[in-house]
Amino acid sequence: MARQIHPVVVGTAGHIDHGKSSLVQALTGTDPDRLKEEKARGLTIDLGFARIKIGDGRLLGLVDVPGHERFVRNMVAGSTGLDLAMLIVAADDGVMPQTIEAINHAKAAGCPVIVAVNKCDKPEADPKRVRNDLLQHEIITEEFGGDVLCVDVSAVTGQGLDKLEEAIMLQS
């Protein structure tokens, strides 16, 4: 049987430790961190891959990219050819340097962006602050009159994963 072609490729983008790989695993059941060193360090080093079947039946490809500045070459390599960037920002940490770098890469590539505000289960989570911070970088979410879909999620509890999948479906 021939493999199904993935007409849409969605890539993660964002700062280190904002939960990109955890969110991919929560959405797909696949751990994109496959290298022994990644497991030992708890840090994405190389590109990871997974598939997600969305509500309309399509099977999409997901590319999980590193967020650490030392692995920026791998991040850029993984960003090439994306149809949609899923910008992941931790609700307890906010917009950070690699978040801004990811936004700039997506803009330069002309790649549409959706935002997943992750770690909303944390007591210090402040999704509203994240949205306000994104405004400074011209990521204008729907609640501010823009067209960027933004979903509050938790890779740990599963909060909002259905809405994130719906946002992916709407933008892909």
Side-chain angles (χ1 to χ4, degrees), residues 2-117:
R3 290 181 63 160
Q4 182 179 359
I5 295 173
H6 305 278
V8 176
V9 178
V10 180
T12 63
H15 195 73
I16 185 171
D17 287 334
H18 280 202
K20 295 178 296 299
S21 299
S22 298
L23 198 51
V24 168
Q25 187 167 6
L27 282 168
T28 68
T30 300
D31 183 357
D33 288 339
R34 66 198 186 292
L35 302 176
K36 183 178 177 181
E37 188 175 354
E38 290 175 320
K39 301 277 189 207
R41 293 172 69 181
L43 159 82
T44 300
I45 296 169
D46 202 4
L47 303 177
F49 303 93
R51 297 183 195 147
I52 182 172
K53 189 170 188 174
I54 59 175
D56 62 7
R58 288 182 293 151
L59 190 61
L60 309 183
L62 278 173
V63 179
D64 183 43
V65 303
H68 194 284
E69 64 185 338
R70 291 182 54 208
F71 305 113
V72 71
R73 286 185 179 152
N74 291 13
M75 177 181 27
V76 172
S79 301
T80 304
L82 293 181
D83 298 300
L84 178 64
M86 181 170 50
L87 179 66
I88 300 164
V89 185
D92 63 336
D93 205 13
V95 173
M96 300 298 282
Q98 271 62 55
T99 311
I100 297 165
E101 189 169 347
I103 291 168
N104 292 336
H105 284 302
K107 285 181 184 178
C111 186
V113 174
I114 60 172
V115 177
V117 181

